[in-house]
Amino acid sequence: MLWFRKQVLSDLQLLLQDPVSQSPYVITLQGEEGMGKSDLITHLVLHLPFNNLLIKQYDLNYEFFSAADLAHQKLLDLKKSGDAVFRSFLENFSPRLQEYILNNISADVQVSSVQQNWLQDLFLQFLTFMAQEKSLLLIFENIHQTDRIRFEELESFIRRISHLPVRVLFTADPEGPFDHDYYSNKTIMLDKLSVQEAEHSIQEYFDTSPINARLLSNHCYLKTGGNPLKIRFLLESLYRPLMNEKSGEFINVRALQNIRISGQWEEIYRSVFASLTEDSQHLLALFAHLGVPVLKADLLEILRALNQKSTIIDCWVNGGFIREVIIADEIYYMLPGSAWKKWIQAVLPVDAIKDSYEILSELSGSGRLKRVYPLSDLLYEANELDASLKLAWQEACALQEQGKLNEASDRLYFIVRIARIDPARFPDILNVLEKLGDIYLKMGAYENAFEILRYLREIITNRAQEKETANPQEWLDVNIKMTRALIAMDAFQEARYLIREMQVKQFCDPESTGACHELQGDIETSLAHQNYAVQEYHKAIEKYRQVKSGIRIYSVYKKLKLILKNQPVEYQALIAEILEFMHASGNVKAFEAALLRDEIQHLLAGKEYIAALKSCIRLRRLLREIYQPHLFIQMTFYFGEIYARLGKWKLAISHFEKIVDSFLIRHKSLLHVQVYIQLGLMYKEQARYGEARRILEQGMELCFRHNYFSEQNEIKLHLGHIYLLVHGLLRAQEYLLEAHNWANSNQQRDILILAKLYLAYYEIQQNRLDPARNWLREAKKLVNLSDNPLDFLNYLFYLDLWMLESDKPAKARIVADLVLKKAGDIPRYQAAAYYLLTSVHAARGNYGEAEKSLQRGLKISHKWHLPQVRYLLYCRGARLAYGRQDDGKFLKELKDACRFIYEIADRILDEILRTQFLEAKYHEDILNWCMERDIRS
């Protein structure tokens, strides 16, 4: 039954049934201890509205939140259970990719950060898939118990899925230690029960008469203050013995009046314990000392071993002594609240419940329990040392499998500490030391790792001396790990000594020899001896090739590429060499894909676009066999850049259109914004201004949601430029000034340079040449500090436009020639230079030269699909033909210009802006000539 105000449940269910109006939608349940927060959550989980899907329920009293652990565990559960929704999600991928995904959802949690990111990507894409039909729900109980670091990680994860309809449900004790600021859309207070509510609940609880319920309520209400948990504790411990078996009979009033209790928690706890048998008290104490939820199947097994009836579970749940929780679709039981647990621990310490934990230890050792519980500490406190050591090893292995490395290392070090004092107690210490050393290395605790590994090597050496046969590989492996720890601690001389010690051994196999060279290379890199490091790394690769170790070769490659990136020939040769090996091996496709990505980046940096395109196509084929979403998204940017450079804008745009709203990227909010920006710029380059504005505004909305100020102002800059190009001058100025002022305050030079140049162009279009010149002067100061050659080209272009409007054709000719010279092999700037030269020659009356420049500019703009420059050239061409009084030529140029102006107008996709564009002064003369000659678009 429910022990809280029914209105609370109605309010909460209503909030969960309504569509998510804002994501994330945060609901906070607040109430002091005993007000029913946990019971409300349990009831809610069991009776969730149909439109909600629970991602995970956390009780922060007992567990920590980790985004990586959440992704891994949920995917593992989905794989094991064969979840139907998960199978539907996988159908979005080819059979090869489905097989790859399932094979890589491994039970091994000791994965690299790259693998953790892979699992999180997959999990977040699955959530995006599920959110098509369901609202997602995350529950975090007792957030007042979490620390700042964990809470920030929790908030970061919530932000990552805020693009989905997600609700977050917090429970908190307002008197708890929680002091972190967060926004809650709705706060629901769980207050004490009223007298009438308490009376009704008592009647329902005992199925008794209204008179009996009134008597009990009158007796306990003031003592409990209407606290539901206090009432429940008293009902089960003090008042149940007063109830007659027949529900209609009256309660023993005299016995009721003899009950004396203050209502303080401590006295209530004592009354509960006084009503229980000794075995029941011990069982509750076992719950308290374990400190973790107990699986229902395991609790039933424990009850059988203690000769207790299983009905005690329902009795205790109803009385509030324990609570039922759902974890990973399984029922667990735990104590409600930390105060109850601490009181029991104080009343019944470990020594007092020896029989119970020994029985639990037997059950655990014989494999009759499904879960592993932290029993070794209890056994140690009770001086059961041998049993404690045995269980500590089991617990450490289980904790390591769950990815809880801190807890696992604590259990292992406990064994080591005892074994050093009394080696005979744990003869299998080698496995413990090896596992502990590996965990310390993984955690970055290098000093601890070195000490443990040195102890391990000492034992191995002693045993080798005592026996005629020994395993030299054990000695080599430990030495290699010790050397890694020493290098991480900058103890290079000691590390060199260990390396030489290994290299002189006759039993040093090729793989270990390769490791020695790799470690020597690490030392040389740390000392900035790059040439020596390169030599050592190459020797390591050669040795690893002999044993066909793709993982180790890729590890060395990652170190080498940092050194060789500024040596293009050597770097390209290295990539080709490693790629050849990886491709021949065939079983390390993820490494081959990463190498292809590096090769593409290298080729693009060298402007080798055709070669880069071939590598892109090869990588795309490879990604049909392996699921690497981050590479797939990166490849989209590569294809976009290559096809844009080759003038194949439709192909470039198509790659971005495929991913812009796909579930592959929606959870990567910052990258999603970058895709919006890139696609918007491509639309702008192709004069598809309406689509560009739509996409950029969507990106702006995402920036507002996530407070991406830099990207937000970059979008404002591009929107301002678009409005300039369609002659929406007022809106252009508004956006450009906002971007300019923000960039100026935050020293964002890239945005600031373009903002000043675009504002100069705005003033030129308004025929305000002095303000335009001021903007250009300010831009020039920043361009002088920039190492981006495109900034200089942009500055020259707008400077030349100003010179032409200022009637300075001679100077304009010098600047136009400089633009052409500096344009190099960049078609956009080549075409822009010829437009400037056409304008300069026309201004000086050199119509023949102007015509040559015009045709060259048109040829480039046609070939490379540059509609912005073509628009300027068409207008200039019509004016040039008009000035030469060549009617045939003029009519042709006029038709081309008119047609193109209307083409651009049709792409604006906004009737007001379209009209504004058509009425712009820049091409007013062109359209007037068209009307005079009745030329239609």
Side-chain angles (χ1 to χ4, degrees):
M1 62 173 288
L2 305 178
W3 284 89
F4 41 79
R5 290 181 292 108
K6 304 300 184 290
Q7 187 59 42
V8 168
L9 181 61
S10 301
D11 291 345
L12 186 54
Q13 287 181 326
L14 190 62
L15 287 171
L16 294 175
Q17 285 169 353
D18 289 342
V20 177
S21 56
Q22 176 183 343
S23 186
Y25 192 87
V26 180
I27 305 168
T28 302
L29 293 177
Q30 281 197 357
E32 298 174 5
E33 183 177 354
M35 289 299 177
K37 301 185 296 294
S38 299
D39 288 329
L40 180 55
I41 293 295
T42 299
H43 178 83
L44 189 68
V45 170
L46 292 172
H47 303 90
L48 267 180
F50 71 96
N51 63 324
N52 281 265
L53 186 65
L54 179 63
I55 302 174
K56 177 72 174 174
Q57 176 185 358
Y58 283 93
D59 188 334
L60 300 176
N61 265 330
Y62 298 94
E63 51 192 331
F64 294 110
F65 172 81
S66 163
D69 290 347
L70 171 62
H72 179 256
Q73 194 55 55
K74 288 294 289 187
L75 288 171
L76 203 57
D77 292 341
L78 291 166
K79 176 185 174 181
K80 288 179 179 176
S81 64
D83 183 83
V85 180
F86 188 60
R87 289 201 305 269
S88 299
F89 165 69
L90 290 178
E91 288 173 3
N92 288 286
F93 305 99
S94 67
R96 278 185 180 180
L97 287 179
Q98 290 181 40
E99 182 182 358
Y100 180 86
I101 289 170
L102 291 172
N103 287 340
N104 279 272
I105 301 175
S106 165
D108 179 15
V109 296
Q110 293 192 48
V111 294
S112 66
S113 58
V114 173
Q115 290 168 302
Q116 286 184 351
N117 290 336
W118 182 90
L119 289 166
Q120 288 189 65
D121 274 348
L122 179 65
F123 178 58
L124 292 171
Q125 288 166 23
F126 175 61
L127 292 184
T128 305
F129 175 79
M130 290 195 298
Q132 295 176 77
E133 297 181 359
K134 299 279 188 181
S135 291
L136 307 178
L137 178 63
L138 275 166
I139 298 176
F140 297 96
E141 297 185 62
N142 301 305
I143 57 166
H144 53 277
Q145 294 295 341
T146 190
D147 59 37
R148 184 170 297 279
I149 293 174
R150 293 287 181 178
F151 187 71
E152 286 174 357
E153 183 180 359
L154 183 157
E155 283 194 310
S156 175
F157 176 76
I158 292 171
R159 281 195 299 271
R160 288 190 71 187
I161 60 173
S162 62
H163 64 286
L164 305 175
V166 59
R167 292 182 176 91
V168 182
L169 184 55
F170 291 141
T171 74
D173 185 341
E175 297 183 354
F178 183 78
D179 63 350
H180 314 312
D181 292 330
Y182 69 93
Y183 176 77
S184 181
N185 300 83
K186 183 72 174 178
T187 298
I188 299 177
M189 295 297 300
L190 272 70
D191 298 319
K192 65 181 182 179
L193 298 175
S194 68
V195 174
Q196 294 79 13
E197 288 168 333
E199 183 180 319
H200 178 76
S201 298
I202 291 171
Q203 182 182 357
E204 183 182 348
Y205 184 76
F206 281 134
D207 188 21
T208 189
S209 66
I211 294 176
N212 285 344
R214 174 73 56 83
L215 289 169
L216 291 176
S217 178
N218 288 343
H219 190 271
C220 76
Y221 187 80
L222 290 178
K223 296 177 177 61
T224 60
N227 185 298
L229 187 58
K230 285 185 176 181
I231 295 173
R232 293 168 69 188
F233 273 22
L234 291 180
L235 291 179
E236 195 58 41
S237 60
L238 293 182
Y239 299 136
R240 181 173 288 283
L242 304 180
M243 301 300 297
N244 294 307
E245 292 184 6
K246 297 180 180 178
S247 60
E249 294 187 7
F250 292 119
I251 195 171
N252 187 333
V253 177
R254 185 177 296 277
L256 179 64
Q257 291 173 341
N258 288 334
I259 294 176
R260 297 286 185 268
I261 189 166
S262 70
Q264 296 297 317
W265 277 113
E266 294 245 347
E267 193 167 347
I268 292 174
Y269 293 155
R270 276 196 293 273
S271 73
V272 170
F273 252 53
S275 70
L276 299 175
T277 64
E278 185 178 350
D279 285 344
S280 295
Q281 291 176 353
H282 285 200
L283 184 54
L284 280 177
L286 194 58
F287 267 99
H289 286 291
L290 287 176
V292 295
V294 178
L295 186 66
K296 182 176 182 178
D298 291 342
L299 181 55
L300 292 173
E301 193 70 43
I302 294 167
L303 289 173
R304 279 193 289 271
L306 295 172
N307 295 317
Q308 294 213 37
K309 295 180 180 179
S310 61
T311 52
I312 196 175
I313 298 176
D314 291 333
C315 178
W316 285 5
V317 170
N318 291 333
F321 305 163
I322 61 174
R323 63 170 291 212
E324 182 179 277
V325 292
I326 311 295
I327 302 175
D329 297 327
E330 293 193 275
I331 298 174
Y332 286 77
Y333 295 99
M334 58 193 286
L335 296 179
S338 57
W340 177 222
K341 179 181 76 172
K342 290 176 182 176
W343 187 88
I344 296 174
Q345 288 173 337
V347 171
L348 283 179
V350 174
D351 291 341
I353 59 168
K354 182 176 180 180
D355 292 344
S356 296
Y357 63 66
E358 283 183 347
I359 289 173
L360 188 58
S361 176
E362 266 181 43
L363 295 173
S364 181
S366 61
R368 290 164 65 186
L369 299 181
K370 291 186 177 181
R371 308 281 292 184
V372 177
Y373 300 94
L375 280 166
S376 57
D377 274 338
L378 302 185
L379 293 171
Y380 180 70
E381 287 181 42
N383 294 319
E384 300 284 341
L385 196 52
D386 290 336
S388 176
L389 288 170
K390 182 179 178 182
L391 275 176
W393 171 249
Q394 292 178 2
E395 290 164 10
C397 294
L399 288 166
Q400 187 181 15
E401 286 178 6
Q402 295 168 20
K404 299 175 180 177
L405 300 184
N406 273 314
E407 295 92 327
S409 65
D410 178 71
R411 293 295 80 212
L412 292 169
Y413 190 72
F414 164 72
I415 297 171
V416 172
R417 196 169 62 246
I418 301 300
R420 274 182 164 165
I421 300 169
D422 188 358
R425 282 194 180 274
F426 206 97
D428 195 20
I429 193 64
L430 287 180
N431 288 336
V432 176
L433 292 169
E434 183 180 5
K435 189 181 285 286
L436 181 56
D438 289 343
I439 289 176
Y440 278 148
L441 285 174
K442 187 174 181 62
M443 291 168 58
Y446 299 112
E447 291 86 353
N448 294 347
F450 181 77
E451 291 302 322
I452 290 298
L453 292 167
R454 184 165 62 178
Y455 181 34
L456 174 59
R457 188 181 67 169
E458 180 185 326
I459 295 174
I460 291 172
T461 303
N462 291 340
R463 290 188 180 182
Q465 291 172 354
E466 292 171 5
K467 301 177 183 178
E468 292 184 2
T469 59
N471 184 358
Q473 191 60 48
E474 286 183 347
W475 184 88
L476 287 169
D477 290 343
V478 174
N479 257 29
I480 289 169
K481 292 173 184 176
M482 287 174 66
T483 308
R484 287 191 182 128
L486 286 169
I487 293 171
M489 294 187 289
D490 295 335
F492 301 130
Q493 195 57 41
E494 293 88 339
R496 287 185 196 275
Y497 174 78
L498 287 183
I499 292 170
R500 285 195 295 269
E501 190 180 11
M502 287 185 283
Q503 287 177 322
V504 298
K505 300 293 185 185
Q506 291 184 350
F507 53 76
C508 192
D509 62 298
E511 186 167 352
S512 299
T513 303
C516 288
H517 287 301
E518 182 181 353
L519 292 167
Q520 187 65 48
D522 292 345
I523 294 172
E524 302 297 350
T525 299
S526 300
L527 296 172
H529 300 158
Q530 294 190 345
N531 291 335
Y532 292 125
V534 169
Q535 293 173 17
E536 293 294 338
Y537 285 144
H538 276 297
K539 290 176 183 177
I541 288 175
E542 188 56 39
K543 291 296 180 182
Y544 290 152
R545 284 173 70 100
Q546 292 179 25
V547 295
K548 298 181 180 179
S549 178
I551 294 175
R552 293 190 177 278
I553 288 175
Y554 185 71
S555 172
V556 177
Y557 160 76
K558 287 196 296 183
K559 298 171 183 178
L560 257 177
K561 80 172 184 178
L562 296 175
I563 301 173
L564 298 179
K565 268 201 166 182
N566 295 324
Q567 302 174 39
V569 176
E570 291 83 353
Y571 182 45
Q572 180 61 44
L574 173 68
I575 293 176
E577 177 190 352
I578 308 297
L579 258 177
E580 182 184 358
F581 172 81
M582 294 295 180
H583 185 69
S585 301
N587 59 348
V588 281
K589 293 186 183 296
F591 296 151
E592 185 181 349
L595 283 160
L596 280 169
R597 176 204 55 204
D598 290 348
E599 183 176 58
I600 293 165
Q601 290 174 341
H602 177 68
L603 292 170
L604 288 176
K607 299 183 179 181
E608 299 180 50
Y609 300 116
I610 299 300
L613 179 60
K614 291 179 180 177
S615 294
C616 271
I617 293 169
R618 182 178 168 187
L619 177 56
R620 183 171 60 183
R621 288 173 184 158
L622 188 59
L623 290 178
R624 291 172 185 164
E625 302 177 36
I626 61 173
Y627 175 72
Q628 296 289 343
H630 65 289
L631 276 183
F632 186 85
I633 295 167
Q634 280 182 296
M635 192 180 67
T636 300
F637 280 90
Y638 301 147
F639 271 124
E641 181 178 353
I642 292 167
Y643 283 131
R645 291 288 189 177
L646 298 176
K648 301 179 184 296
W649 290 95
K650 286 186 178 179
L651 283 171
I653 288 172
S654 70
H655 279 278
F656 280 95
E657 286 177 334
K658 287 175 185 175
I659 70 164
V660 68
D661 284 319
S662 75
F663 64 82
L664 282 170
I665 196 170
R666 289 183 64 197
H667 63 282
K668 296 175 177 285
S669 53
L670 186 56
L671 191 57
H672 200 182
V673 169
Q674 293 297 334
V675 171
Y676 276 129
I677 292 174
Q678 199 64 34
L679 182 55
L681 290 179
M682 288 184 173
Y683 282 145
K684 184 181 78 169
E685 285 292 326
Q686 291 305 290
R688 294 164 63 173
Y689 298 124
E691 292 164 282
R693 191 173 59 128
R694 173 181 59 82
I695 285 293
L696 288 172
E697 285 174 350
Q698 288 178 11
M700 176 92 79
E701 194 176 312
L702 202 56
C703 290
F704 278 127
R705 190 186 309 165
H706 293 280
N707 296 322
Y708 296 148
F709 296 110
S710 179
E711 289 74 16
Q712 177 182 321
N713 283 278
E714 185 182 351
I715 289 173
K716 286 181 181 179
L717 176 76
H718 297 311
L719 284 171
H721 189 212
I722 288 170
Y723 282 118
L724 274 182
L725 295 173
V726 300
H727 304 284
L729 301 183
L730 291 178
R731 296 175 77 176
Q733 185 192 34
E734 179 185 345
Y735 275 120
L736 292 173
L737 282 175
E738 285 181 15
H740 173 274
N741 293 338
W742 178 87
N744 192 41
S745 299
N746 292 274
Q747 298 181 340
Q748 296 291 314
R749 192 168 60 199
D750 292 343
I751 294 177
L752 195 58
I753 290 172
L754 286 176
K756 289 181 184 295
L757 293 176
Y758 293 158
L759 284 166
Y761 186 47
Y762 163 79
E763 299 294 353
I764 292 170
Q765 286 187 312
Q766 298 281 60
N767 201 31
R768 295 199 288 259
L769 299 180
D770 289 339
R773 184 60 177 140
N774 291 335
W775 285 118
L776 288 167
R777 284 195 186 100
E778 291 180 18
K780 181 63 167 64
K781 293 176 184 176
L782 295 173
V783 168
N784 290 338
L785 301 173
S786 173
D787 56 359
N788 184 354
L790 297 186
D791 287 336
F792 186 51
L793 282 167
N794 286 325
Y795 166 74
L796 291 176
F797 177 78
Y798 289 108
L799 176 65
D800 211 43
L801 291 181
W802 177 85
M803 288 179 172
L804 287 167
E805 291 297 321
S806 302
D807 197 21
K808 298 179 181 180
K811 291 183 178 180
R813 170 64 191 272
I814 296 170
V815 174
D817 286 338
L818 186 58
V819 173
L820 185 60
K821 179 181 177 182
K822 295 290 184 181
D825 58 352
I826 307 175
R828 182 157 63 100
Y829 290 100
Q830 289 176 345
Y834 283 119
Y835 163 72
L836 294 173
L837 285 169
T838 302
S839 302
V840 169
H841 290 312
R844 304 181 76 176
N846 298 330
Y847 295 116
E849 291 298 319
E851 183 65 32
K852 290 179 183 177
S853 296
L854 176 70
Q855 294 306 317
R856 287 171 183 167
L858 283 172
K859 182 178 180 182
I860 294 171
S861 64
H862 275 286
K863 180 180 178 182
W864 298 98
H865 304 286
L866 303 170
Q868 291 176 13
V869 185
R870 201 187 317 169
Y871 158 70
L872 296 174
L873 287 165
Y874 275 144
C875 291
R876 182 60 63 193
R879 294 187 186 107
L880 187 62
Y882 180 78
R884 300 184 71 177
Q885 298 181 347
D886 184 338
D887 287 342
K889 178 75 171 172
F890 174 61
L891 192 61
K892 177 184 178 304
E893 296 290 346
L894 191 59
K895 287 181 178 178
D896 287 344
C898 181
R899 175 184 53 79
F900 206 71
I901 289 170
Y902 277 97
E903 272 187 28
I904 291 176
D906 290 340
R907 295 175 186 173
I908 293 174
L909 306 180
D910 182 297
E911 194 57 38
I912 295 175
L913 274 178
R914 182 177 185 276
T915 303
Q916 204 168 6
F917 173 75
L918 290 174
E919 293 175 354
K921 290 182 180 179
Y922 183 80
H923 49 242
E924 184 180 23
D925 54 344
I926 309 290
L927 296 185
N928 286 337
W929 290 333
C930 290
M931 290 176 65
E932 289 171 6
R933 287 161 177 75
D934 198 27
I935 296 174
R936 305 293 181 184
S937 61

